[in-house]
Amino acid sequence: MNGALAGRVAVIGSGIAGLVTALELAPRPVVLITQAGLGEASSTALAQGGIAAALAEGDSVESHIADTLAAGDGLCDAPVVERILRGTPDAIAMLVRHGVRFDRGASGFSFGLEAAHAHHRILHAAGDGTGAEISRALVAAVLTCPSITVLAGAQVRRLLTRDGQISGVLLARDGRAEVLLTSQVVMATGGIGGLYDTTTSPVSNFGQGVAMAARAGAALADMEFVQFHPTALALGQGRVTLISEAVRGEGAILLNDRGERFMADQPGAELAPRDVVARAIHQQIADGRRVFLDARQALGDRFAVRFPGIARLCAAAALDPARDAIPVRPAVHYHMGGIWTDTKGRTTLPGLWAVGECASTGLHGANRLASNSLLEGAVVGMRAAESIAATRTRPLAPAPKGIELPEAAHTQAVRGIVSRHLGIVRDGASLRQAMSELLPMGDDAAIVALSIATFAALRDESRGAHSRLDFPAQVARPSRRRMVLDDILRSARLLTQTRLVRSA
Ligand SMILES: Cc1cc2nc3c(=O)[nH]c(=O)nc-3n(C[C@H](O)[C@H](O)[C@H](O)COP(=O)(O)OP(=O)(O)OC[C@H]3O[C@@H](n4cnc5c(N)ncnc54)[C@H](O)[C@@H]3O)c2cc1C
């Protein structure tokens, strides 16, 4: 029991979502719990491209909204998109206030271009070091903020509830179980990359927050939508190096090993939406081809100036993008689905807010527009802080007795199933196979994977990042789906039984 910290708002995770929420809650006392060092093991620190902000002359929030809706492929929640994107100026001002140094030119911010954006609207820092700069500045601000107590190296394993409301968290610290009683918790645990064999994000994040929220009774939404980044460095497994979309924004082209520019005839060519480019590369690889990103003509020696971080990562793999075409392949990158929330981060479970990649607000629909996720974390983090401050705390529940740490998740076993069956292209038989393998497992990784498989099996169409070989068309009136864990388990059992009956 951690009595000294009881009653504080507990923020779980120290990426942009957790750091912003904790800072914006000041002077309200907060305990910021994070499993690695502060700001570490986060996707935030790895972000290269930047943060979308329609603030350049000639750009408009209407244009940003239109691009977001188009990338979301008919599944964005339009009022949510508008509410979040209209928060952009405040969010950028807040980041600058906390010390983030965006790149500037003679006339103010310097804006880059990324796929499926109609304007140059990507704010970046240190060229391709945007995430590292945001993380540096916010971590420094947190360390000097007297209202925030940081518990680093502490992993939250369960949410505690009483009478259908949040009553605390159970965490593992120094190998021991610790309970923190509180009626207000913010989940900011990031994405699900660690569920897959190959990902651009930290493998330690496999959706723990989503699993904990689901176990506690919060609804999940749009879990089937997993974004694959088209251009990860095609070397190695586990966490792989990302080659930012901004490189294609600067004119780099995609070629196969026959020298064919296979995206040339597609609308948008190399800057088509991510799911389109990822599927095209996937198809090339399935056909036995290798794929390269060629920046030699477009950037040449300028590559190392515009993208110093990527140039360094390529050099570590003995590649010089000024002279060599970079071998690429798709890798899991972002999760549009997650814990259902409104635009203030409120979940369906009283006392629980969720912000950032672990949440699903409806901003991204079926496919996230590049550089909208850092923005969402900042905007919703600010609003969640306001919402928490406006919510009355409840008296603390009595401490639970004899509580034990749950077993750690079996990520390795789940990873094989997920990578085989929940990839860029899916089909019903494969999804049902995944569900039957995952149903008996029951740990946190399996719960997240089972949710993805079940939502995917229920969506009989191909849309955005969800592509079904057996349902290539789109339904006329698509809708987002939201389910609690009991519904997910019931659906998974029914769907797997269907197979048994059909094949009997
Ligand atoms: C390589 C890469 C490049 C990207 N580039 C861009 C970009 O240019 N622009 C853009 O908008 N988006 C980009 N994204 C996506 C974006 O970075 C993420 O969506 C965003 O940073 C997520 O922020 P977050 O705070 O929700 O999660 P994260 O930044 O991932 O932070 C999650 C935190 O939760 C902690 N945590 C997890 N589980 C627990 C637990 N059980 N207990 C305690 N702590 C826990 C983690 O250690 C971490 O501190 C990129 C992603 C990657 C991987």
Side-chain angles (χ1 to χ4, degrees):
M1 261 289 284
N2 197 319
L5 300 174
R8 293 175 172 230
V9 183
V11 176
I12 310 168
S14 61
I16 190 168
L19 294 167
V20 164
T21 311
L23 283 166
E24 292 295 297
L25 274 161
R28 204 183 180 87
V30 166
V31 52
L32 178 54
I33 308 166
T34 192
Q35 63 183 358
L38 188 63
E40 291 170 10
S42 74
S43 289
T44 298
L46 301 173
Q48 298 173 343
I51 179 161
L55 302 175
E57 215 178 294
D59 198 359
S60 66
V61 70
E62 287 74 20
S63 166
H64 191 179
I65 291 171
D67 291 345
T68 301
L69 294 174
D73 204 4
L75 215 67
C76 295
D77 183 325
V80 163
V81 172
E82 166 136 23
R83 255 177 261 144
I84 292 180
L85 297 189
R86 288 207 184 277
T88 305
D90 285 350
I92 300 301
M94 176 272 298
L95 292 173
V96 171
R97 197 170 61 242
H98 286 307
V100 177
R101 296 187 292 248
F102 290 111
D103 293 337
R104 289 171 185 265
S107 54
F109 287 134
S110 145
F111 294 94
L113 181 66
E114 283 192 352
H117 284 276
H119 289 271
H120 281 71
R121 69 163 68 101
I122 314 301
L123 283 179
H124 44 86
D128 55 5
T130 315
E133 168 59 12
I134 289 177
S135 190
R136 178 205 64 75
L138 297 181
V139 163
V142 162
L143 290 174
T144 54
C145 181
S147 57
I148 304 175
T149 303
V150 176
L151 293 188
Q155 187 177 55
V156 176
R157 295 271 179 91
R158 286 286 181 271
L159 293 174
L160 306 176
T161 56
R162 196 180 161 87
D163 304 328
Q165 312 202 10
I166 287 288
S167 60
V169 297
L170 170 64
L171 53 104
R173 197 153 63 123
D174 300 329
R176 285 201 311 273
E178 227 172 83
V179 169
L180 179 74
L181 296 176
T182 174
S183 61
Q184 295 177 316
V185 171
V186 182
M187 202 56 93
T189 48
I192 56 153
L195 278 185
Y196 283 79
D197 278 345
T198 311
T199 176
T200 59
S201 37
V203 289
S204 53
N205 298 341
F206 57 85
Q208 295 93 317
V210 173
M212 287 188 273
R215 282 186 196 279
L220 307 185
D222 300 350
M223 289 292 290
E224 66 272 43
F225 294 106
V226 178
Q227 183 172 75
F228 285 73
H229 197 289
T231 54
L233 192 59
L235 298 170
Q237 282 218 321
R239 186 164 85 70
V240 290
T241 296
L242 174 77
I243 312 293
S244 166
E245 207 131 41
V247 177
R248 277 173 284 138
E250 295 283 343
I253 55 171
L254 287 164
L255 299 173
N256 64 19
D257 53 2
R258 288 182 176 148
E260 294 158 344
R261 192 177 164 197
F262 55 90
M263 286 304 294
D265 298 337
Q266 300 275 344
E270 276 83 0
L271 292 178
R274 277 193 181 162
D275 58 308
V276 176
V277 184
R279 273 195 298 277
I281 297 179
H282 174 81
Q283 191 55 52
Q284 290 284 324
I285 294 170
D287 293 345
R289 306 261 59 85
R290 291 196 302 142
V291 175
F292 297 88
L293 182 65
D294 190 346
R296 290 174 293 187
Q297 272 225 304
L299 284 155
D301 287 334
R302 275 200 308 120
F303 194 102
V305 180
R306 173 66 180 89
F307 300 110
I310 302 175
R312 266 195 306 278
L313 293 166
C314 285
L319 287 167
D320 174 5
R323 321 241 168 302
D324 305 313
I326 308 165
V328 291
R329 67 164 178 220
V332 167
H333 184 58
Y334 185 81
H335 191 205
M336 278 71 77
I339 308 162
W340 181 91
T341 73
D342 65 9
T343 53
K344 295 177 177 175
R346 288 181 297 200
T347 71
T348 56
L349 176 63
L352 180 67
W353 285 256
V355 184
E357 193 168 336
C358 69
S360 182
T361 58
L363 169 67
H364 308 297
N367 189 28
R368 173 184 69 114
L369 180 66
S371 288
N372 265 356
S373 40
L374 290 173
L375 180 65
E376 182 187 45
V379 172
V380 180
M382 291 174 82
R383 299 204 179 138
E386 276 170 25
S387 158
I388 293 164
T391 307
R392 244 188 304 148
T393 52
R394 289 191 322 280
L396 293 181
K401 296 214 172 65
I403 203 152
E404 282 182 15
L405 277 181
E407 208 192 325
H410 302 289
T411 37
Q412 197 54 42
V414 170
R415 225 170 256 155
I417 302 170
V418 169
S419 302
R420 262 195 311 282
H421 301 295
L422 303 175
I424 290 188
V425 285
R426 303 157 173 183
D427 68 67
S430 183
L431 291 170
R432 286 191 294 272
Q433 180 62 34
M435 287 185 281
S436 6
E437 290 179 39
L438 291 163
L439 264 169
M441 297 176 83
D443 65 84
D444 281 0
I447 282 188
V448 182
L450 181 67
S451 306
I452 297 172
T454 309
F455 276 69
L458 290 169
R459 185 167 292 280
D460 288 347
E461 63 164 347
S462 292
R463 181 176 298 281
H466 171 71
S467 178
R468 291 273 303 250
L469 290 172
D470 45 351
F471 291 101
Q474 297 201 328
V475 300
R477 270 195 284 281
S479 56
R480 299 182 64 207
R481 181 172 278 111
R482 165 171 141 177
M483 289 195 279
V484 295
L485 186 56
D486 281 349
D487 296 335
I488 295 168
L489 292 171
R490 198 172 307 116
S491 299
R493 285 191 198 107
L494 269 171
L495 286 159
T496 44
Q497 273 167 18
T498 309
R499 179 194 58 159
L500 295 178
V501 172
R502 278 194 195 149
S503 58

